Amino acid sequence: MTQTFHPRRTLLWGENGVGKSTILKSLYRAFDAEPQGELRDWDYEAIVAVDFTVDGQPFTALRRGDLRAMYRGQELIGAAASSADWNRIFAQTVGFKLQLLDRGGTFRPAAPSNYFLPFFVNQDGSFGGAWETFKSLKQFDKSVDYTLDYFVQVHPTDYFELKAKAQLEKVKAAELKVELATLERTRARLRRNLRKTPVKLHAKYFQLEIQQLTDLSVDLVKKQDALRKSIVQEQELAFALKEQIRLSAAALKEHSADFKFAGEAAVMEKPFVCPTCHAEHDASFHTLLGLAEDARQLLSLKTTLEDDLDGVEERLARHLRLATDLKQKYADVEQVLTVKRGRFTFDDFIKSYSAAEADSQLAAEQRVVEVEIETIARTILSIKVDLAALAAEHDPKAPVAAFREHFTQACVKLDVKAPDGIDTWRLAKRPVESGSRNARALIAYYSALWSSVARDGYLPVPVVIDSPNQGAQDRPHLKQMLANIAAMAPRNAQVILAHEERPDVFDADLVVHLTAKERVLTEEAFIELHPELFSYVQRARSSLAGMVVQADEDFSDDEG
């Protein structure tokens, strides 16, 4: 379905199950901000798109599964399949300068969920004692604290960017210091262990020895491969022959028992029944002669198998001796490397030639690292100067004091007892009250945040409240709370309220009555929307694949 919101006050109302929460949560899903709570009967592969403006410029955020895309008008300005890439695109689009430390120890742009966090009252995650409005808030360290500090401007906007840069530089410096210490230890060990000799290395001797080494190595590899295959084959054949010999011996043992049985039956001069196959035989000479012939053939087969096994084991022993010879080949390779040149070894040549050169190169690399560390130190010092200048012009205590004052006033307007310790209340601390007062206390807290963030009555993000009838609110208290939500929101803020009823006290500029039949996109709306939406999806996919697709390219109705 499609839904338009008024730039000031919008009310979505209708009974449970008509899709109020689906609409609101889909708004955030389009920006890859996943709200708490599951959407029943919702296809999470559905295309979700939101048109919005930033400083008068039109943008469209689109999502389908893991695909995210941002358009400025019809221009694709970024597509991503990962949250990290999307966070950067989103931050650049809306001017969200907050950077946070992720669990991997890297500073990167905060997520859309941080951007929307203070302004969304989610019925599934915003009425408890912890910040659980969105699912991904714990991907960053102190995510909520820094987000609220950013919006309330406990520190200026540039402060967070400078702090992120300073931390990144500190991480670089720490890595370089580890590298520098390694270089210093290597140089010390080199000077301590390498002895200099008055030997000059001749390139032609070096090349000759390397060629000999290469020839021996190639020959060695070929022989190793052939020998390895032969040993494996002989071992498998030996195993098979041993198994056949074991079976032959077992057959002979059983045959001996049968012959004995037949002989005893012959003494009794009457037919006998085979205990194995249950066939009836007479005790004639021919029968006994046949059994004897079978025994002779089994014994001959067993003897042949044993002879074959002896031959296999002999070849296997020969191959194992060849393996020992290969070890000698390794010794030959080492002999090439350690061949004498007069009273000096090849190792002496390498040491004499490379010691000074290696130390020189290590010294040059050490100097490069030292220069980088010095550059970073100057950068960090410059950032500290900038931070000090910001601190001199900005009092971080004033915004927090203003928030506490707003909180106190909101508690009075909502007729809820002010929490203990409100004079020292932290921005990120959520009130926890008992019974029906809990929802009003939380709304008072949110209202204080909005008042603290607002500039000239405007908020950077729409206020969205999803069914705030929590905590067993009775009807009079609910009406009063709704009226105060409308009255206490900053005068120029965009407010979207979803509720089961249409409260007359909420002065909405746009009222949308949702019914069950409006939950599904109509055929007419689909025909109107699908060319543009499928075009958006295909162009974003093509961008990620490194392809170029024209904006006016035709897309079929059955696009995947």
Side-chain angles (χ1 to χ4, degrees), residues 446-467:
Y446 276 102
S447 176
L449 285 178
W450 303 334
S451 297
S452 302
V453 174
R455 300 292 178 269
D456 298 326
Y458 290 94
L459 290 174
V461 179
V463 168
V464 179
I465 305 168
D466 185 12
S467 300

Side-chain angles (χ1 to χ4, degrees), residues 143 157 180 210 231 258 288 348-349 369 372 387 398 429 471 511:
S143 176
T157 302
L180 180 61
I210 291 301
I231 290 176
D258 291 344
L288 296 177
D348 293 326
F349 277 90
V369 174
E372 291 182 10
L387 287 171
K429 182 181 178 181
V511 178

